[in-house]
Amino acid sequence: MKSRSQAVLPVLKGKKESRLIERGGSENADMSNQHYKRKRDLYPYSLLSPALIGATLIILVPMLFALGLSFMNYVLYRPQDHAFVALQNYRRALGDEIFWLSVRNTFIWVIGVIALQVLLGFITALFLNRRFWWRGIARSLILIPWVTPSVITALMWRFMLDGNTGVINDLLVRLGFLNEYVPWLARSSSALPSVMIALMWQGFPFFSVMILAGLQAIPQELYEVAEVDGAKVHQKFYRITLPLVMPILLTAVLLRTIWVANSLDIIFIMTGGGPGYSTYTLPLYSYIRAYSGLDFGYASTLAVYLTIILVMLIAAYVIRVMRTEDLH
Amino acid sequence: MKKLTMLLILAVVTGGLLFGAGAREEVQTVEFWYHLDDPEQNLDELIDLFEAENPDIRIDAVHVPWGSFHDDLITAVAAGNPPDAAQVKLWWQPQLVEMNALQPLDGYLADWDGYDDVLDDLWELTMHSDGNQYYLPLQMVILYMYYRVDVFDELGLEIPETKEAFLDVARTITEEKENMYGFGIRGARGGHDYWGSFVLSSGAEFFDDQGNVVLDSPEAVEANQWYIDLYHEHQVSPPTTPADGFVEVIDNMLTGRTAMTIHHIGSAQQMHNQFGEDISAFPVPAGTVDRWTSFGDEQTAILARDQATQDAAWKWISFLATAEYNQMWNDISGQVSINKSNEDVDYGDINRFLEATLDSTPFAQILPPHPRIAEFVESTWPAEMQRAFQGEITSEQMMRNLANHFRD
Amino acid sequence: MGYEERNSIKRLFTLHLPVLVITLFAIGPYIWSFITSISPPGGMRVQAGEAIRYFPESPTIFNYVRLFDRINFLQNLVDSMVVATFAMLFGLSLSLTASFSFSRFRFPGRKYFMLQFLVINMFPVVLLLIPLFWIMGRMGITDTYLALVLAYATFTIPFSTWMMTSFFNAIPKSLDEQAQIDGCNRFQAMIRIVIPIAMPGIVATGIYIFITAWNEFVFASVLTGRSVQTIPVALQRMVGQHEIAWELLTAGSVVSALPVIILFFFIQKRLISGMTAGAIKS
């Protein structure tokens, strides 16, 4: 049994050959196969090494340092108390009310924001893939949310959402959706959704660009054949577009999930985590503990928990990718 | 051709020698971090004056954005590469002292002839609890109450001296005036200044004489309940209160949505431009025990490690604390000078706000110097206050949570 | 009603209008920024009870003059452009080879490295600042272009590598195999066949790195700030402790988006050319 994602990976024309190569089967494929399967081939490693060295030095080393801190009592202003405490920080988090609130909010935040971004991004990409005279302009303009620095995005949305002077309230009242102004960011029930809208705005162009690029890999002939067979628009979408874009979409979702989970500048500027703890997410809580409490031990622990949660969230996807690769 | 080459070499060598000789004279560079609210302002003029007086010192001034000032400073200190001197806030002091980041100034102060010209209260307020002076005052920022004179006149209201009278005034305005609330409360970060004026003046204290946390004492809970009720029960503040930061609070005042709010002289010019003589100020009303207003401070401190840089840094920060230059600094920052000899400086249009500032000086206070105060101000207080305002927790729960912040 | 006419009405409702709505959503806050930026200080403020103003009474370009005249915003633009361009070039070249390796070869440790690239992306960067600042200080490159180029190029590696591996995977291996049979070596096969076909993906990834570098604040503030000052740092300075220079800030944000938008306008055609070009070659 081939999994679905593998079946769509090699695009049509190459499908037959590449399957043969994967299995190392036919004589014909063996020739080229040598290039890919030669034992102790250092070539792939040499291609990989620049990225690996860079990432190790600049990211992995600081990360291992922070990981180490998570097992320590490490409050910056108490240098005399720095000590190894094993799992004490981890246990402490499990009994911390704010930790659990943050975990809950992190799930809502990540799933909600990604769903909104993918949906809007996909629709936008499909439209922008069609030909019309102002396509170039539209493609450029939808990039604006993405290129606006976060501090501006956050402040702009905060003022547009303001309960006294906000333009969004004014528009909604004028259009008849609301009877009176709503203090969006001042209520626990509406603060998180409001911030999520702001992040959806900032992030959907990313998906549009990535999906747009992915759509280019679909050979036009497929649609022509389908049309000859009398396929409807939605059939073409579900049978051709979606499956063929899926691998790239999944990768984009995977990477963006990690990014969204970690993003805290918009939340911090818009609500500072409030009202109450209603917009606390794990990275925000970790940041607050680190830089206002200077408790880097506990903050690192919270960050490790975030990593664990993320690994769980994406495990299903990674396992599938890895299993597919095993078949190669 | 050969001659030319020789000449060139000679020129390079001579130049190198001269340059080298110049460098050997040791120009001491002082890296100084500061922040100003007005991005169009800078310290060029002050630095030029200073460097003219001290040709052997060069000031490398870095305008760090306020939003990341504290984070950047902590990062630089923790990574062992701090600036030589920096503008600092009082509530960072306990942490910075414990991190061994600050240089005591007492030695320098003993020989400094500018010492007596700095307002005496400021030395008291900025001295650390260990008896050392690490901070040198730079600005005097004291909070008072802005109010709309025209609204008070129209409704025949008197300036309230006590918080009960204040509540009556705020309720009257809220009821009588359309689209206007009596008092703009800052419910987001930074709002502890407002809270302090009503709660810390009415029996709530952080610590007792033995150093025990008593923030959840019955008096404190009651005073806090009174404050919560301003929003929750009497609704004298706009519905956006829990999310309102300084921008919203000032905006609400400027657009006539509120008739009173607490802030300092930094907003005075803006207020005056908007309302002219219809806006004025009075010291915050008394609580049940005494008066409490926040000393919203700015100081400088030395973080350099080696003696030579410390000496140079001292020259720079003490330069900024002398009357003439301190007034220049405060003209740039829009605040009030720390020097006695600047007390009579004419603020023109906004002199009445200077008066309110000086009238409030006797009871201006700071939060206790505890290493956890920074986190209290930045996250614990705003979160618990917002919960209480929304009725998610009671006054008692809120005060217990605040007390526990210092207990764990 | 002729076919042509009906078709154009249909296109209006199924294409032009929806795209217009999405575009308006995307640029709405930007337009609001622009309107604020051409108003005099406090010009958009209205008294309680009055209707919100949607356009200033006396529009002015004063804030833009201030921006370039008094704040030296041009230098910030140059700094951001330099950092973003080199971060993109450096980051792309690092991750191009890495993802080619992931996509085209099966070697021991491959999965481990791919996972490692993923996991190092999961840690909040604010907690990495202190060691990173220390490392950069040791290398003696704080407050230089290099510090930011290095930081952005490496912090986007995980993303770029995974993304481009996906794009490469979508290209049939038979194509580069054919090239090798025709006498190209493996490196030539990558340069001549795979990269041209994968161009839309590479462009999209390049855009990602560029924009990330263009917008990033935390590193820019900690690792640089004196001689190198990117746009986000300059903008953040307009947000003070007691005041926000709102009109200036919006002017800055309007200006800062323009170079990227214009650049993208010329680059976006590249998003479509790859596959067709590749198909012809094969």
Side-chain angles (χ1 to χ4, degrees), chain A residues 74 76-80 92 97-98 101 158-159 162-165 181-189 267-278 280 285 287-296, chain B residues 67 70-72 74-75 78 94-96 98-100 181 188-189 231 238-248 251-252 255 257 370-372 374-375 378-380 382-384 386-387 390 392 401 408:
Chain A
Y74 201 91
L76 272 189
Y77 58 80
R78 288 206 191 114
Q80 66 281 4
R92 183 173 143 205
E97 178 200 9
I98 306 170
L101 277 173
R158 184 165 137 192
F159 288 100
D162 188 86
N164 295 315
T165 54
Y181 284 14
V182 174
W184 301 103
L185 296 175
R187 288 185 187 159
S188 292
S189 51
I267 309 182
F268 188 75
I269 296 172
M270 281 182 74
T271 67
Y277 299 99
S278 63
Y280 263 59
Y285 187 33
Y287 164 73
I288 286 172
R289 291 312 303 237
Y291 276 96
S292 41
L294 301 192
D295 189 347
F296 277 77
Chain B
H70 176 250
D71 295 359
D72 288 5
I74 292 292
T75 305
Q95 293 181 341
L96 290 171
E98 301 277 331
M99 286 167 82
N100 261 329
Y181 289 89
R189 234 175 314 153
Y231 172 75
T240 50
T241 295
D244 285 347
F246 71 87
V247 180
E248 287 86 357
D251 250 23
N252 286 342
T255 55
R257 281 180 175 79
H370 186 283
R372 292 221 176 130
E375 200 180 6
E378 287 191 2
S379 57
T380 312
E384 297 298 336
Q386 289 164 346
R387 287 169 121 184
Q390 293 187 95
E392 289 172 12
N401 291 345
D408 295 341

Side-chain angles (χ1 to χ4, degrees), chain B residues 164-404:
Chain B
E164 294 307 331
F166 173 81
L167 175 61
D168 286 341
V169 168
R171 288 179 68 174
T172 308
I173 296 170
T174 310
E175 279 161 24
E176 300 290 324
K177 296 287 288 181
E178 205 184 338
N179 294 322
M180 187 183 265
Y181 289 89
F183 179 43
I185 296 177
R186 180 168 171 181
R189 234 175 314 153
H192 60 278
D193 289 338
Y194 294 50
W195 174 81
S197 285
F198 295 99
V199 177
L200 297 178
S201 64
S202 303
E205 276 180 276
F206 281 82
F207 304 99
D208 66 11
D209 295 339
Q210 283 82 48
N212 300 314
V213 185
V214 290
L215 205 46
D216 48 358
S217 69
E219 300 81 28
V221 171
E222 194 193 328
N224 189 52
Q225 183 65 50
W226 186 92
Y227 189 69
I228 295 168
D229 284 344
L230 282 180
Y231 172 75
H232 198 69
E233 172 75 26
H234 307 298
Q235 300 182 3
V236 297
S237 184
T240 50
T241 295
D244 285 347
F246 71 87
V247 180
E248 287 86 357
V249 167
I250 299 302
D251 250 23
N252 286 342
M253 193 73 192
L254 286 170
T255 55
R257 281 180 175 79
T258 52
M260 291 186 283
T261 200
I262 296 179
H263 212 233
H264 51 64
I265 202 165
S267 316
Q269 195 61 55
Q270 217 180 354
M271 296 279 185
H272 182 82
N273 292 346
Q274 181 74 34
F275 296 114
E277 297 301 320
D278 283 343
I279 187 116
S280 191
F282 57 85
V284 295
T288 54
V289 177
D290 49 14
R291 278 184 205 246
W292 192 102
T293 195
S294 177
F295 174 70
D297 59 295
E298 295 291 340
Q299 291 79 220
T300 48
I302 299 177
L303 296 97
R305 290 269 143 240
D306 67 292
Q307 188 68 46
T309 319
Q310 284 169 4
D311 291 348
W314 165 253
K315 280 188 186 158
W316 166 242
I317 64 170
S318 58
F319 171 87
L320 292 177
T322 47
E324 183 188 347
Y325 305 114
N326 190 256
Q327 190 57 49
M328 280 178 69
W329 172 284
N330 282 293
D331 288 343
I332 293 172
S333 68
Q335 293 293 343
V336 178
S337 167
I338 54 159
N339 298 105
K340 291 173 189 164
S341 47
N342 287 332
E343 270 188 302
D344 298 326
V345 169
D346 186 18
Y347 275 67
D349 284 348
I350 58 170
N351 251 340
R352 58 189 184 282
F353 300 104
L354 183 67
E355 272 166 37
T357 301
L358 295 175
D359 288 347
S360 302
T361 318
F363 50 90
Q365 308 201 38
I366 57 161
L367 298 179
H370 186 283
R372 292 221 176 130
I373 208 72
E375 200 180 6
F376 175 85
V377 166
E378 287 191 2
S379 57
T380 312
W381 181 86
E384 297 298 336
M385 189 77 241
Q386 289 164 346
R387 287 169 121 184
F389 271 151
Q390 293 187 95
E392 289 172 12
I393 53 173
T394 63
S395 173
E396 196 182 346
Q397 285 169 315
M398 170 178 165
M399 294 312 273
R400 192 169 345 108
N401 291 345
L402 292 186
N404 286 341

Side-chain angles (χ1 to χ4, degrees), chain A residues 10 13-24 26 28-37, chain C residues 100 103-105 171-186 188-190 193-194 197 282:
Chain A
K13 270 186 291 175
K15 207 168 177 178
K16 208 171 176 186
E17 287 92 328
S18 53
R19 270 194 198 156
L20 289 174
I21 294 159
E22 281 153 20
R23 293 174 183 159
S26 85
N28 187 21
D30 252 9
M31 258 171 62
S32 51
N33 215 17
Q34 289 172 356
H35 295 288
Y36 295 95
K37 290 233 164 141
Chain C
F100 186 71
S103 166
R104 288 319 200 232
F105 300 94
I171 298 167
K173 281 180 189 156
S174 58
L175 285 181
D176 38 321
E177 279 150 21
Q178 192 56 45
Q180 287 179 35
I181 293 166
D182 292 349
C184 289
N185 65 29
R186 290 182 292 187
Q188 286 168 328
M190 174 176 97
I193 306 295
V194 182
I197 301 177
S282 72

Side-chain angles (χ1 to χ4, degrees), chain A residues 21 35-36 41 44-45 47 127 131 134 139 146-147 156 170 201 216 251 258 322 325-326 328, chain C residues 11 14 16 25 33 54 97 101 104 106 108 110-111 121-122 166 177 180 186 215 268 271 275:
Chain A
I21 294 159
H35 295 288
Y36 295 95
D41 187 349
Y45 295 103
L47 286 176
F127 278 123
R131 285 183 190 282
W134 55 295
R139 279 185 177 183
W146 193 12
V147 302
M156 209 66 218
D170 190 62
W201 181 79
Q216 310 313 317
T251 311
I258 296 171
M322 292 297 158
E325 305 233 320
D326 276 339
H328 281 216
Chain C
R11 274 176 74 85
T14 60
H16 292 288
F25 174 69
S33 289
Y54 281 85
T97 52
S101 169
R104 288 319 200 232
R106 298 290 174 269
R110 174 178 169 278
K111 271 189 230 165
N121 227 11
M122 292 180 186
S166 274
E177 279 150 21
Q180 287 179 35
R186 290 182 292 187
N215 282 349
Q268 52 94 14
L271 276 176
M275 195 62 199

Side-chain angles (χ1 to χ4, degrees), chain B residues 76-130:
Chain B
V77 168
N81 192 12
D84 300 319
Q87 193 178 340
V88 280
K89 300 289 282 187
L90 266 175
W91 37 283
W92 306 341
Q93 184 169 235
Q95 293 181 341
L96 290 171
V97 169
E98 301 277 331
M99 286 167 82
N100 261 329
L102 301 178
Q103 196 55 39
L105 304 178
D106 305 78
Y108 293 116
L109 288 173
D111 302 332
W112 186 45
D113 49 15
Y115 187 90
D116 291 329
D117 193 35
V118 175
L119 292 164
D120 301 323
D121 291 333
L122 297 182
W123 290 123
E124 262 173 56
L125 284 168
T126 55
M127 180 189 282
H128 190 54
S129 50
D130 66 1

Side-chain angles (χ1 to χ4, degrees), chain A residues 11-255:
Chain A
V11 177
L12 297 162
K13 270 186 291 175
K15 207 168 177 178
K16 208 171 176 186
E17 287 92 328
S18 53
R19 270 194 198 156
L20 289 174
I21 294 159
E22 281 153 20
R23 293 174 183 159
S26 85
E27 267 176 66
N28 187 21
D30 252 9
M31 258 171 62
S32 51
N33 215 17
Q34 289 172 356
H35 295 288
Y36 295 95
K37 290 233 164 141
R38 209 166 19 173
K39 293 276 173 204
R40 303 239 174 102
D41 187 349
L42 292 180
Y43 188 60
Y45 295 103
S46 65
L47 286 176
L48 190 58
S49 54
L52 201 62
I53 292 168
T56 303
L57 181 68
I58 307 289
I59 319 178
L60 192 62
V61 168
M63 201 181 124
L64 292 176
F65 177 83
L67 185 67
L69 292 187
S70 75
F71 299 107
M72 291 180 71
N73 181 354
Y74 201 91
V75 180
L76 272 189
Y77 58 80
R78 288 206 191 114
Q80 66 281 4
D81 291 346
H82 293 178
F84 179 78
V85 294
L87 293 175
Q88 190 185 303
N89 287 328
Y90 290 84
R91 278 198 298 271
R92 183 173 143 205
L94 297 180
D96 179 351
E97 178 200 9
I98 306 170
F99 168 75
W100 289 109
L101 277 173
S102 308
V103 170
R104 190 199 68 155
N105 288 340
T106 306
F107 273 102
I108 300 175
W109 169 254
V110 171
I111 294 168
V113 168
I114 291 290
L116 289 169
Q117 287 186 356
V118 169
L119 193 69
L120 188 55
F122 210 129
I123 294 171
T124 309
L126 289 177
F127 278 123
L128 294 182
N129 199 33
R130 294 171 62 182
R131 285 183 190 282
F132 54 99
W133 62 270
W134 55 295
R135 178 170 78 170
I137 297 169
R139 279 185 177 183
S140 308
L141 288 181
I142 60 132
L143 223 59
I144 280 179
W146 193 12
V147 302
T148 307
S150 290
V151 52
I152 305 275
T153 303
L155 285 173
M156 209 66 218
W157 278 92
R158 184 165 137 192
F159 288 100
M160 291 193 310
L161 286 166
D162 188 86
N164 295 315
T165 54
V167 64
I168 290 178
N169 272 317
D170 190 62
L171 284 175
L172 291 177
V173 168
R174 275 170 199 253
L175 295 173
F177 291 110
L178 287 180
N179 291 325
E180 54 172 6
Y181 284 14
V182 174
W184 301 103
L185 296 175
R187 288 185 187 159
S188 292
S189 51
S190 57
L192 190 58
S194 302
V195 182
M196 284 164 68
I197 298 282
L199 205 75
M200 170 186 87
W201 181 79
Q202 188 193 41
F204 88 90
F206 161 83
F207 278 103
S208 299
V209 170
M210 291 300 157
I211 294 167
L212 203 51
L215 287 174
Q216 310 313 317
I218 304 173
Q220 211 51 45
E221 305 94 73
L222 283 182
Y223 291 107
E224 286 157 19
V225 172
E227 246 159 67
V228 171
D229 292 349
K232 299 254 164 48
V233 176
H234 63 96
Q235 286 173 322
K236 280 190 279 183
F237 176 76
Y238 285 112
R239 300 213 181 133
I240 303 174
T241 313
L242 196 58
L244 287 179
V245 169
M246 196 49 89
I248 283 159
L249 181 64
L250 280 178
T251 311
V253 166
L254 170 77
L255 296 163

Side-chain angles (χ1 to χ4, degrees), chain C residues 99-146:
Chain C
S99 36
F100 186 71
S101 169
F102 282 146
S103 166
R104 288 319 200 232
F105 300 94
R106 298 290 174 269
F107 50 90
R110 174 178 169 278
K111 271 189 230 165
Y112 166 79
F113 288 129
M114 283 192 82
L115 271 183
Q116 186 196 316
F117 273 178
L118 209 55
V119 173
I120 57 175
N121 227 11
M122 292 180 186
F123 217 73
V125 291
V126 283
L127 286 177
L128 309 180
L129 282 177
I130 291 176
L132 190 65
F133 187 70
W134 185 83
I135 291 172
M136 298 261 180
R138 278 291 136 125
M139 291 163 78
I141 56 170
T142 46
D143 204 32
T144 61
Y145 287 137
L146 188 59

